Amino acid sequence: MANNYKRILLKISGEALLGTQGHGIDGDILTQYADEIKAAHDENYEVSVVVGGGNIFRGVKGATEGMDRVQGDYMGMLATMINSMALQDALERKGVHTRLMSAIRMEEVAEPYIRRRAIRHLEKGRVVIFGAGTGNPYFTTDTAASLRAIEVEADVILKGTRVDGIFDSDPEKNPDAEKFQTITGEEVLERRLSIMDLTAFTLCRENETPIIVFNMNVVGNLKKVLAGEKNIGSTVVWEDS
């Protein structure tokens, strides 16, 4: 049974763009993701996207190696812009109209993020990519995804990962890990499951924004999640919703 979603926000990790490479952006993965997004767009979903920058630079990692944390985080924001520009190019080569909006002003390559303008782009059928995180240090791209989803009134956050959903332990380390079809937000907190950072998760909980975690690397999974197919991904539900 199809999910009753119209406007979605897709969160893609920067590390996912590595593919089989040790650094940078894997062109095959980028093309695959563009195909997935185009398929959803062609079904008349209003699609917005947040891409991480971990394949290029992580501010937290830089801080552990002696770099100033704020400086490192701004470098990470610029890394998200590189990934976002690459995704925009891949989508537009497939005929999908996009708008790249940045939380840090850089008019030569992206529009400044303005909430009303972002909503208008979505209403006009453009895929909107949100770059540069929140524009502030100490906040992750997960938090940026939660914040933007709430601001543009997205119906759901779809977190594309390299595993099949939410498990009781790391499925990449434990082959016997148990997958949850649905799980409450409270249980996620009690079990200390690493879906997204606490700030991002709290934003979703306070605004009762649904979260679906699924494997973005399986061709066709995004459309299957939107179609409400069983056993594809895991859904976080809120007790008061």
Side-chain angles (χ1 to χ4, degrees), residues 21 57 63-64 66 84 91 96 166 181 194 203 211:
Q21 300 181 160
F57 190 84
T64 63
S84 296
L91 284 166
V96 179
I166 302 169
Q181 192 70 42
S194 300
L203 275 171
I211 305 167

Side-chain angles (χ1 to χ4, degrees), residues 26-114:
D26 185 317
D28 291 337
I29 292 292
L30 186 68
T31 299
Q32 178 185 322
Y33 286 1
D35 285 334
E36 295 286 298
I37 294 167
K38 182 180 186 300
H41 177 264
D42 289 347
E43 294 288 330
N44 295 319
Y45 289 99
E46 296 178 1
V47 184
S48 57
V49 187
V50 170
V51 190
N55 57 318
I56 299 172
F57 190 84
R58 273 192 176 279
V60 174
K61 184 176 185 295
T64 63
E65 295 173 354
M67 178 179 287
D68 177 76
R69 171 66 189 273
V70 173
Q71 188 82 340
D73 279 355
Y74 277 115
M75 291 172 68
M77 292 177 218
L78 297 180
T80 72
M81 287 300 294
I82 292 172
N83 287 338
S84 296
M85 290 172 68
L87 181 62
Q88 180 184 36
D89 178 73
L91 284 166
E92 294 199 332
R93 280 188 278 114
K94 295 181 179 297
V96 179
H97 295 293
T98 72
R99 291 293 186 273
L100 172 55
M101 308 189 84
S102 171
I104 299 174
R105 298 187 77 88
M106 46 183 83
E107 285 88 344
E108 288 78 9
V109 296
E111 296 181 14
Y113 171 72
I114 299 171

